[in-house]
Every structure is written in structure tokens, then in C-alpha cells.
Amino acid sequence: MTPPVAPAQTRLQPDFSFRFLVENLPVGIFQSDVRGHCTYFNRAWERLSGLTIEESMQDGWVRCVHPDDLRSVLGIARYGIENRQEFRSVYRLVRPDGEIRHVDFHTVPYTDEQDEVRGFVGVTTDITGQVRVAEQLAAANAELRTAAGQHQQQQAELEITNQQLQEQ
């Protein structure tokens, strides 16, 4: 009897498996040098941002940050890069077609064998669905509060009317 053959995916070389994973995850993955200039983006970033990988390189990715969020995003990134530490920001991304997506941008430094920071790697996760659900919940809660306030007003009016009727 021959032993079962392992699926082809389990026989892949680790380097290939990692590259396959990075290119096929549904989150934008990027790498930058120690100054924060981006040197790598995966295809998911391209799909999310609407920018080509070439357009995104170096500091090109900032073109898709919503103008109202740009100062904050760049400030957080600059602080993290200067201090060689993890940083995170949630911002609006504006695609070239005008569509706005909400993203969570999370970056960590990577080091060499001497523990010197050599650059940063990070992910950009599309959280638009979660933001929309949160907005819908907030709107529903506001409607509920309004309805509850109207109910309390109606109940108070009924109590006054009931008291007036009892006095007659």
C-alpha cells in the first residue's frame, strides 16, 4: 500500500509559500526603507487604492489619502519613522475613480541581526464595511432615542389628560 500523497500546497518551498501568501492576502501589504519611502506593494494594495504599484512607490501612495486626513496620517507616520516604532492610523482613501474607502494602516519596523531598524513593513486593511455598519448602528440608535423621547412625551401628555379627566 502506498502512503497518501500530501497536497501540492504543502510541498511548496517556504519562500514561494510566503510570496504566494503576500501576493494573495486580501489586505494591502507594503515595505519601506528606513526613511519611510515605499519600496514594495502587493497586488491587493493596487486593487484597494486604484493606484498602480509603480504610482504608489516612494511617497506616491499619499496621493490616495483623503485631503482632510493627510496631515494626520503623515504626522503619525513621520513620528513612527523618526522614533523607529510601530504606528497605526485609520483614514479615508480616495481612489482615482472618486470612491472613498476607509482603511486601517498599521506599520511596524523590521530589524537586522544587530537589532538596527532597516525599514518598515505594514498592512492596509479595508474597513469600509465595518465603518458603514457602525454608521448605520449610530443612525438607528439616534432614531431609537428620538422615538423613545417621543414616546415619553406622549406618555406624559396622556398622564396629564388622564389626570384632567379624573378631576372632572
Side-chain angles (χ1 to χ4, degrees):
M1 177 170 186
T2 30
V5 176
Q9 293 88 339
T10 61
R11 292 191 304 244
L12 297 176
Q13 296 300 314
D15 185 47
F16 178 82
S17 298
F18 179 75
R19 279 183 287 151
F20 180 82
L21 178 70
V22 166
E23 285 302 321
N24 290 286
L25 280 172
V27 296
I29 296 176
F30 57 92
Q31 180 178 1
S32 73
D33 63 21
V34 74
R35 294 177 319 239
H37 299 153
C38 291
T39 58
Y40 171 81
F41 288 92
N42 69 348
R43 297 287 176 211
W45 163 258
E46 195 172 48
R47 290 187 298 273
L48 174 62
S49 70
L51 298 176
T52 66
I53 290 172
E54 293 76 24
E55 292 170 326
S56 301
M57 288 297 181
Q58 297 297 317
D59 298 326
W61 66 272
V62 300
R63 287 184 285 175
C64 68
V65 178
H66 192 283
D68 294 343
D69 300 338
L70 185 59
R71 185 176 183 168
S72 171
V73 169
L74 291 179
I76 290 167
R78 189 174 302 114
Y79 183 85
I81 291 165
E82 288 172 1
N83 292 287
R84 308 288 195 252
Q85 65 186 32
E86 178 176 349
F87 57 94
R88 186 176 208 158
S89 181
V90 173
Y91 68 91
R92 291 167 291 175
L93 179 149
V94 183
R95 293 172 44 86
D97 61 10
E99 180 185 8
I100 295 177
R101 309 297 297 172
H102 295 265
V103 297
D104 182 351
F105 168 73
H106 189 179
T107 306
V108 296
Y110 66 90
T111 58
D112 61 17
E113 297 80 22
Q114 287 76 40
D115 223 18
E116 291 290 320
V117 172
R118 292 297 175 206
F120 297 86
V121 292
V123 296
T124 303
T125 306
D126 188 348
I127 59 168
T128 304
Q130 293 127 310
V131 169
R132 288 187 181 146
V133 167
E135 289 170 348
Q136 291 169 348
L137 283 172
N141 282 333
E143 288 178 28
L144 210 51
R145 281 191 297 279
T146 300
Q150 290 172 346
H151 175 73
Q152 288 175 338
Q153 178 67 32
Q154 290 171 345
Q155 187 172 356
E157 291 171 3
L158 282 173
E159 287 175 11
I160 291 170
T161 302
N162 188 29
Q163 187 175 5
Q164 289 171 346
L165 286 173
Q166 287 178 357
E167 292 173 358
Q168 290 179 354

